[in-house]
Amino acid sequence: MKRKNWKRIVVKVGSALISPNRKGCSSHYLLSIAQFIVKCRAMGTQVVLVSSGSVAAGAHQFPDGERSDITIKKAMAAAGQTEMIATWDRLFDFPSAQILLTHADLRDRERYVSIRDTIFSLLDHNILPIINENDTVTTDKLKVGDNDNLSAMVAAAADADALIICSDVDGLYDKNPHTHDDAILLSSVANIDQSIYAMAGGAAKGGVGTGGMRTKIEAAEKAVSHGIDTYIINGFTELSFNMLLNGKNPGTHFEAHEKPMAENEHWMRHTTRAQGEVIVESEFAPNLSDNAESLTSKEIIDVKGEFSVGDTIIVRKDDGTKLVKARSNYSSCLLNFIANQENEEFASEFEEQTGPIISKKNLANLEKE
């Protein structure tokens, strides 16, 4: 480990640490995390905190509410968010700031850049950014869904050196440690593949959080591809944080890629969400990542979904092979219109005047998936 070289880290804390019993916020587990953050800052490391827990923290104020009712959950989030921020604020002797996000904020390039600028400005003024998904206003179309993946997106936006995800176990095991006594902890993972996801199992069941080990692996995959070392550690024990401060690995270290993706390509691939698909013939196999303008309406078989100019789309072959994820310069309606033109000369002239369907500057290669 090279903790001493960290210039900026993101620490992700889940609902189970914030409100273990859903009876409001508890500082029982948060105190050691807060001390870790204080010590990191004292050593010159900037910290961004991604904190779940608003719904769990506010649940006790709705004793008669149905927790499965989305309206009640939004109200719980609204009530619990202030309590959660106040709890964190009491644990620090320096100022903190609240940033509430939806996926719509992150997948819009202009708003994403604005988020980056805000985080950098807060850090430059020694203010701790505390980030959470805005559960009060988010919908299925707008939400990230879990703060593990949100923390990875934030780590990428913040240009962090390390992402530390606090869990209820010591890290990633080769099998579920809650049900297998012979489960072995993986101290490091150099490559995240399907075998790693198989160890993670499915989503979390029960408890107070929305994620499980799988979402943590997803977050790690996003982060390491941006060159961010990622650690899954046990957030319930102070020893984990003391080990990190001493340059030791207390859990599972997911090793950052030596050649990380370019910032814009990473955002396109891991943060944006495709609103539709453009299907091309299987014989169409140019390297779109280098020659995006080679995609014309002649190669298009079908257009799926409804999207507008500027929305993100997937271009794939009709055999299912994904080629690229890109920003569309055409709406689905217009693309369908020109692709269905029998007069190819008309379509070619139209595209020549209007411009390419996708551009290299707004594209991420998916052929290696």
Side-chain angles (χ1 to χ4, degrees), residues 1 186-190 229-232 249 251-256:
M1 285 183 59
L186 278 66
S187 61
S188 65
V189 175
D229 282 305
T230 302
Y231 299 84
I232 297 178
N249 175 17
T252 302
H253 172 208
F254 295 84
E255 301 172 18

Side-chain angles (χ1 to χ4, degrees), residues 214-226:
R214 183 175 181 83
T215 61
K216 292 172 175 57
I217 305 301
E218 291 172 355
E221 185 174 19
K222 287 181 173 65
V224 297
S225 66
H226 198 272

